[in-house]
Amino acid sequence: MKDIYLKVPRLIHCFGNENNIVSIDTVIEMLKSSKNIIVPINTHNIDTVKEWDLLPIGYGNANWSELSTRIDTSNLIPVWNINLQTSADEVIRRTLKATEMGGKKAVKLEVLDSNHKWSENNEVVKATEKLVEQGLEIWPLIAPEKETIDKLLILGCPMIRILGSEIGSGNGISDRAIDALKYIKSKSNVKVMLDGGVGRAEDVYKALIEGFDSVLVNSYLFKEQSPEEELYKIVNVKVRWWKK
């Protein structure tokens, strides 16, 4: 029996999706509830925005420029969020354009299948290899696979994000994901994030018990309560978790 507490920055979250548009007020309330310090800066409209701090935080009109006028952002860490892309070449292009606009921030990247549900690992490795050559810190998202993990460890990624199950599925943490976590920890001190498939607060707690260093949540925050209420519940409720 263990008591689980989430400590910053173990819980990380994004700010909505195409079906859940987030206002600047909601962004602020979510940050207050979660105490999260990592803020993904989306790049889906990077070709129409001229200044990096006008890129959206999540979906909607919220951006870093407005956020910094509303709250103290000195303790927050913006990271490039290269999401919903299906080719390494496009990930590379968007990342280099983002860094040209706003400097060398950590890069949270993914290359997904056409359904945006699962990782194309070979493309992830290709993008990571090119961007590491540019001196960037890369946080790649992958499907649990030892061969891919080995390649990313050689490339020196400080964090690897493992899909618990399909993105947006809410199916929780697969045995494959836990096996991948154990494999990484047996070979290195690289941080491992669970990212994808979280469907309830219990999935977050289970991930931390299993040994994930952090957990990213997004879609499920919008299913029942408001996202700020759900985040508050995750962070502040003391949970007793029995690990069999």
Side-chain angles (χ1 to χ4, degrees), residues 102-121:
K104 290 186 175 182
K105 299 171 175 54
V107 183
K108 174 179 169 288
L109 70 74
E110 62 194 24
V111 185
L112 302 179
D113 61 19
S114 59
N115 295 319
H116 294 164
K117 296 293 185 182
W118 202 243
S119 173
E120 295 287 355
N121 282 2

Side-chain angles (χ1 to χ4, degrees), residues 117-118 141-145 149 161-167 169-183 192-200 202-204 206-208 210-212 215 241:
K117 296 293 185 182
W118 202 243
L141 175 68
I142 63 168
E145 179 186 77
I149 290 169
R161 297 150 54 220
I162 300 292
L163 281 164
S165 52
E166 285 191 339
I167 294 170
S169 69
N171 288 335
I173 311 169
S174 69
D175 291 340
R176 286 179 60 197
I178 294 172
D179 288 344
L181 165 70
K182 293 178 179 177
Y183 183 72
V192 187
M193 179 191 294
L194 177 73
D195 186 346
V198 172
R200 53 184 186 155
E202 286 76 10
D203 293 333
V204 176
K206 180 180 179 181
L208 298 179
E210 293 292 349
F212 284 92
V215 182
W241 182 273

Side-chain angles (χ1 to χ4, degrees), residues 199-228:
R200 53 184 186 155
E202 286 76 10
D203 293 333
V204 176
Y205 307 136
K206 180 180 179 181
L208 298 179
I209 284 290
E210 293 292 349
F212 284 92
D213 297 288
S214 57
V215 182
L216 186 138
V217 295
N218 190 27
S219 297
Y220 106 92
L221 296 176
F222 299 85
K223 289 184 177 179
E224 295 182 9
Q225 305 182 74
S226 68
E228 58 266 34

Side-chain angles (χ1 to χ4, degrees), residues 13-17 20 22 27 30-31 39-40 57-59 218 222:
H13 58 84
C14 293
F15 298 86
N17 51 44
N20 298 284
V22 174
V27 168
M30 290 174 72
L31 288 169
V39 181
I57 297 172
Y59 287 76
N218 190 27
F222 299 85

Side-chain angles (χ1 to χ4, degrees), residues 39-51:
V39 181
I41 306 298
N42 279 7
T43 56
H44 50 264
N45 65 346
I46 196 167
D47 293 322
T48 60
V49 174
K50 294 184 178 180
E51 302 292 337

